[in-house]
Amino acid sequence: MNANAKRTRPELDRHPNYYFEDGNIILAFDHDNIMFRLYRGLLAHHSQVFYDMLSLPQVQQPLNPIPAMSQLSLSGLGSPQPSRSGSRSGTATPRVDPTSHQEVIEAGVPVIRLTDRARDFTCLLDVIMGITPEQPSMDTIEGALRISGKYMFDGVRMWATAHIKKRLPTTLEDLMADPSLSVYGDRTLAARVVALAREFELGELVPLALYAIVAYNFSDPPIPSSPLFTPLNSPLSATLMIPTTPEQQQPQQAVWQPNVNPIQNPHFLHQQQHPPSEGGGGAIDPLGPSLTALSVIHHTLPDADSIRVRIGAQRIHDAAISYLFQLREYGLMKISCSRKVGQYQRTCAAGNVHAVWSRPQPPMAEFIRNPLGVMAVEGKAYDYSTMCGDCNAAGQAKHIELVANLFGRLPEIFMLSDVMVAP
């Protein structure tokens, strides 16, 4: 038996950016087969958990001096000094036991073995080192948020929270600026945001994220995923695929793992599978892009929020129908205006839906499905050439009033008793 066969752990690759030869602490991610060699002072300076972990007697031994890099602080956030006497509030992730990860290897360099994803820790270090792009992707934000919440890197958590709130809509002003909620793309990000908000107590993100799912027309031609992140190889695809080659049968490292087990989620949309072909390969009935997005959404949403989507959709439709009776262009409001409009002096079309649209069914269906989006657009530019100026002005004002009313009702509609929406 050779020396390699006696090893209890495989050799780990060095991280290409975060393995410093003079580092005095090693973080080993066995699952990803990679290790970081960093500076104790850098980790302890930014993290209460690492401060406690590295202060334990069993890892106190002669180590390399900590270079000036350990004094780096988060750009724009100051130097977060952790409280040395106790834990800090503000994170939904349970605190890590500092005694559960330690092991000492040769040359007196301590190694800490972590079960987190190396990619997430890389995102966190990028933030600490100040090398993240000005507009970081959702993957970077989520990775940094996940690690900072678990290990109490408070400055990084502040950075991630500030970015996610800045990039995603939470207020009526945000909705008016982007009535289609295009930031959520095919709505898979909306489900991801809801799950993330539940994990990290970011409740203000939830109402419009749930509304974005409810109001999206999945029967329309598909649109790309959100511009906030590059489409990932979701573990959903691995769940639905039949392996056809030995390579496909090997477990693959997923970049992002939804929090919900698809088997436990009653709304998960399974893909129909064909039996293997004569050649031994497997095949599946491909879902269309819209159905694939629906599958990912229901796979990702926490169970309670899947129920909120179903009930909220019905409540949104009920509210929209009630609003139709207050708007002049849909023909359900009892109004008659005798003013003359245009060069041909036709009677104002307020209250006469067939004089406003040649085919009124599509705009009505759109309004019932997405009343906030329609009213936000009409609130900014309400101008029907077949209506008089007074009716156009009154119609625009009514849309502004109703969009604010419905937006304020979103927590009630989606049964979010602990969430208040900002005007």
Side-chain angles (χ1 to χ4, degrees):
M1 183 179 295
N2 59 34
N4 289 335
K6 295 180 181 179
R7 290 178 179 169
T8 58
R9 296 183 187 271
E11 290 262 352
L12 301 182
D13 297 327
R14 297 181 176 187
H15 193 281
N17 299 325
Y18 292 115
Y19 189 94
F20 303 107
E21 295 293 345
D22 60 343
N24 49 25
I25 188 74
I26 289 176
L27 304 183
F29 297 81
D30 293 309
H31 181 70
D32 295 326
N33 194 41
I34 197 166
M35 59 181 172
F36 298 67
R37 187 164 180 173
L38 304 168
Y39 305 108
R40 293 177 59 187
L42 177 67
L43 298 174
H45 178 67
H46 289 289
S47 164
Q48 177 69 47
V49 170
F50 275 98
Y51 177 87
D52 294 341
M53 193 184 300
L54 299 175
S55 297
L56 294 176
Q58 56 263 43
V59 296
Q60 290 181 344
Q61 48 188 296
L63 297 169
N64 298 332
I66 301 172
M69 183 176 291
S70 66
Q71 302 302 319
L72 288 175
S73 62
L74 298 180
S75 176
L77 295 177
S79 299
Q81 294 290 347
S83 170
R84 308 307 188 193
S85 59
S87 63
R88 292 168 289 185
S89 61
T91 177
T93 307
R95 181 172 172 172
V96 175
D97 178 3
T99 66
S100 62
H101 299 280
Q102 300 190 27
E103 178 184 332
V104 178
I105 61 172
E106 67 276 1
V109 180
V111 65
I112 300 176
R113 297 193 178 276
L114 302 177
T115 58
D116 309 283
R117 294 179 304 185
R119 184 185 179 283
D120 289 346
F121 211 90
T122 301
C123 293
L124 176 132
L125 291 174
D126 286 348
V127 176
I128 291 177
M129 298 298 187
I131 60 175
T132 55
E134 183 177 349
Q135 298 291 331
S137 70
M138 187 65 189
D139 297 328
T140 298
I141 296 171
E142 182 178 348
L145 183 60
R146 194 169 302 284
I147 297 297
S148 64
K150 182 175 182 180
Y151 296 104
M152 300 176 70
F153 286 85
D154 284 356
V156 178
R157 180 183 170 88
M158 289 169 53
W159 175 92
T161 301
H163 268 280
I164 201 170
K165 290 181 178 179
K166 177 181 178 182
R167 306 284 296 282
L168 296 173
T170 59
T171 67
L172 178 58
E173 181 181 0
D174 295 336
L175 174 67
M176 296 297 290
D178 181 18
S180 65
L181 298 174
S182 60
V183 69
Y184 284 123
D186 63 0
R187 293 339 190 225
T188 52
L189 176 62
R192 184 176 172 183
V193 165
V194 172
L196 199 66
R198 296 304 188 189
E199 185 176 354
F200 295 101
E201 298 179 354
L202 300 171
E204 62 268 41
L205 299 173
V206 175
L208 276 178
L210 289 177
Y211 179 83
I213 297 171
V214 166
Y216 184 64
N217 189 356
F218 288 94
S219 64
D220 278 350
I223 62 175
S225 58
S226 169
L228 283 188
F229 69 100
T230 302
L232 304 172
N233 293 324
S234 168
L236 178 66
S237 60
T239 303
L240 301 179
M241 286 291 292
I242 299 175
T244 57
T245 66
E247 290 76 19
Q248 289 177 323
Q249 294 176 357
Q250 297 299 319
Q252 305 245 335
Q253 171 67 17
V255 177
W256 166 62
Q257 292 283 354
N259 295 327
V260 181
N261 187 322
I263 298 175
Q264 297 174 347
N265 191 327
H267 306 295
F268 178 64
L269 192 60
H270 289 281
Q271 191 171 28
Q272 298 297 318
Q273 300 181 344
H274 285 307
S277 63
E278 293 182 1
I284 56 176
D285 277 325
L287 291 171
S290 294
L291 287 181
T292 300
L294 275 171
S295 298
V296 175
I297 288 168
H298 290 306
H299 180 76
T300 306
L301 281 175
D303 288 342
D305 290 302
S306 289
I307 296 172
R308 287 187 174 93
V309 164
R310 294 169 67 90
I311 296 176
Q314 184 59 55
R315 291 180 172 180
I316 290 291
H317 298 164
D318 292 344
I321 291 172
S322 71
Y323 290 160
L324 284 175
F325 287 88
Q326 304 179 54
L327 297 171
R328 296 167 182 253
E329 65 269 31
Y330 292 101
L332 300 179
M333 183 179 182
K334 293 183 178 179
I335 183 173
S336 177
C337 179
S338 59
R339 294 184 182 88
K340 302 300 180 181
V341 180
Q343 79 178 94
Y344 298 107
Q345 293 295 292
R346 293 190 174 121
T347 303
C348 175
N352 184 354
V353 66
H354 293 284
V356 176
W357 292 298
S358 59
R359 294 179 62 244
Q361 293 87 352
M364 280 191 176
E366 170 73 6
F367 185 89
I368 292 173
R369 181 180 55 79
N370 182 19
L372 273 179
V374 173
M375 291 191 295
V377 170
E378 298 289 8
K380 293 192 297 184
Y382 187 96
D383 185 14
Y384 289 94
S385 61
T386 54
M387 289 190 195
C388 67
D390 289 346
C391 285
N392 271 311
Q396 182 173 13
K398 179 57 70 172
H399 278 85
I400 293 173
E401 173 192 337
L402 294 181
V403 74
N405 175 271
L406 183 55
F407 177 80
R409 292 175 54 194
L410 288 182
E412 168 199 347
I413 287 172
F414 290 111
M415 300 173 292
L416 304 169
S417 57
D418 57 336
V419 177
M420 296 290 292
V421 292

